[in-house]
Amino acid sequence: MQTRLFGKDFISTEDWSVDELTAMMDMAGDLKRRFAIGEPHDHILRSKTLFMLFLEESTRTRNSFESGITQLGGHGIYLTPSATQVGHGENARDTGGVLQRYGHGISVRDCRTGIGQAYQYELANEVDIPVISMQDDVDHPCQAMADLMTIREKFGNNLSGRKFVISWTYAPKYVRPLSVPQALVMLMTRFGMDVTLAHPKGFELMPKCLDSARQHAKENGTKFEIVNDMDESFKDADIIYAKSWGPIMETEEPVAVQAMCDQYKDWICDERRMDLAKPKSIYMHCMPIDRGYEATNAVVDGPHSVIYDEAENRLHIQKALMALTMGGHL
Ligand code: CP
């Protein structure tokens, strides 16, 4: 088991080896067991502090990180641009340089296209304590790791030949980032699964993420394909991950986005489509889910759904991540 992870940043799964990512999942399993039986583990990060900077809203990420560090004996501080001088333009060097004098880790959610992940790497360059992505424009590494942990719980650790589908769905209201589908195609191709990405034309992902997925598939003997037909993608799938994202490679202008999305209102995950997948397939979504648009209630609340397991595993994965990167050696 790879254990020399103290001080390591976690901005993208791409920066961690398969051994390191597996160590995180192993540790998460152990912490999940301890949590389940009420075995104390609050010595692991006693008196340590994680600064959590959010540029966007969150239910799962904030509460799982904050609960997680509390359970490990430390403290999480919720920060926003308007509650700090980040909102007045204080740069990464000054913000990070000061925070690292007070605490032991910095986590950031910043999904601004072309800015979010770059800011985190800039911050990581300026500080010695670990920088953790809580989602950006490119990756959502903690979500993808929680999802992978969930898949391993359902299907076992040998995922060779399992068909993983990430399909675009329609959703109204706001432009969702590309980071979840990108995180999934980059990670699942490294862990034995044959990955199918389905979306209408115009909803492509960032070329560098597609290139990574292709490269991982080549190196790991897995498959990666892109199709423009939702029904075709669902056929014989083991894992269905169906969610919306914006046509960000083309436009983020809200009226234009909605016009593009409105052409594909029939891209919904419903029982008819779930019947195209294998009988023991699972239905996944990172949440928040737009019920009735991205998926029907019958699917979201149905027998294939594992969405609360995924959300729960955010807690255990992030505790493992914090323990490994912020805990350190005796
Ligand atoms: N899945 C996820 O990251 O949820 P939140 O946006 O609520 O944090």
Side-chain angles (χ1 to χ4, degrees), residues 57-61 109 135 140 143 286-288 314:
E57 306 80 0
S58 167
T59 296
R60 279 141 292 273
T61 305
R109 167 169 282 190
Q135 189 178 15
H140 195 350
Q143 180 66 54
C286 55
M287 304 174 84
R314 292 291 303 276

